[in-house]
Amino acid sequence: MVQKGIAIFAVIFILMSCNSVKEISFSESKEIKNQVNTVLNNWHLAASEANFENYFSTMDSISVFIGTDATENWNKEQFIAYSKPHFDKGKAWSFTTLERNIYLNNLGNFVWFDELLNTQMGTCRGSGVLEKKGNSWKIKHYVLSIAIPNEAVNAVIKAKKKNDDLFLKKFKK
């Protein structure tokens, strides 16, 4: 009976050992961060050049873009519908990265980031998630927000109160 238990334990141990996943090394982590930086820089460049194909091919088919307005929570198709007229005019938007932090999971196939941006709206913050699919990184989720200095928050609250009141009515039951 004891030998049978030891044999079962040995088989389970061997199977678990075979299923272990190799974590990425420091150098692999650095290379992944370089790849993601390039993807994001090229994505922002594609928008500034109104390159519709390059911009939207960087986004996953099931991606989400959350803009600065409370109503802007778009899947890729909705974001394309909003954005296409801007790209068609030859001028979308121009975001220059001031700083970026990239974090990754232990397997190196999933990253999240935050970035500080110089934009036509002033200083903004972007954050998002990318997943490696095959040999390329795809943006799964992106959030853009306008950075508001703490000392200006009360003035912003006052300026948007009327719009917020109208917007919030749809959530009241």
Side-chain angles (χ1 to χ4, degrees):
M1 184 71 161
V2 174
Q3 287 179 338
K4 186 175 184 180
I6 292 172
I8 291 172
F9 176 77
V11 169
I12 291 171
F13 180 78
I14 290 168
L15 289 174
M16 289 179 68
S17 297
C18 292
N19 288 332
S20 67
V21 180
K22 178 185 171 277
E23 291 188 10
I24 59 170
S25 68
F26 177 77
S27 62
E28 289 169 319
S29 170
K30 192 172 179 179
E31 175 58 27
I32 289 167
K33 289 180 180 184
N34 287 337
Q35 291 171 11
V36 170
N37 263 319
T38 299
V39 168
L40 293 171
N41 288 341
N42 288 341
W43 188 56
H44 290 316
L45 179 64
S48 70
E49 295 175 345
N51 186 327
F52 182 86
E53 181 57 37
N54 285 355
Y55 187 82
F56 284 99
S57 67
T58 304
M59 297 177 73
D60 191 67
S61 61
I62 59 167
S63 60
V64 174
F65 186 100
I66 299 175
T68 58
D69 188 283
T71 64
E72 297 174 344
N73 187 335
W74 296 311
N75 64 35
K76 184 176 182 178
E77 294 308 313
Q78 292 165 327
F79 187 45
I80 286 172
Y82 165 80
S83 302
K84 185 129 177 50
H86 298 286
F87 280 83
D88 288 347
K89 290 178 195 169
K91 177 131 175 71
W93 43 86
S94 182
F95 296 173
T96 303
T97 305
L98 303 171
E99 71 177 21
R100 181 178 293 136
N101 299 297
I102 299 172
Y103 311 91
L104 49 143
N105 70 346
N106 292 339
L107 302 179
N109 62 349
F110 187 82
V111 301
W112 57 101
F113 68 94
D114 60 83
E115 58 186 2
L116 197 58
L117 303 164
N118 184 14
T119 78
Q120 68 276 7
M121 298 175 284
T123 306
C124 288
R125 184 160 303 274
S127 61
V129 175
L130 287 84
E131 180 182 31
K132 189 162 192 179
K133 291 192 153 191
N135 291 325
S136 63
W137 287 95
K138 295 292 183 182
I139 296 171
K140 303 285 279 183
H141 191 97
Y142 189 81
V143 179
L144 178 66
S145 56
I146 298 173
I148 301 168
N150 289 333
E151 59 274 6
V153 168
N154 286 336
V156 171
I157 291 169
K158 184 177 179 181
K160 66 188 215 92
K161 180 163 179 25
K162 182 179 175 184
N163 283 351
D164 278 355
D165 289 345
L166 291 171
F167 179 75
L168 293 172
K169 281 184 182 180
K170 74 179 193 176
F171 295 98
K172 294 185 179 176
K173 295 182 182 201

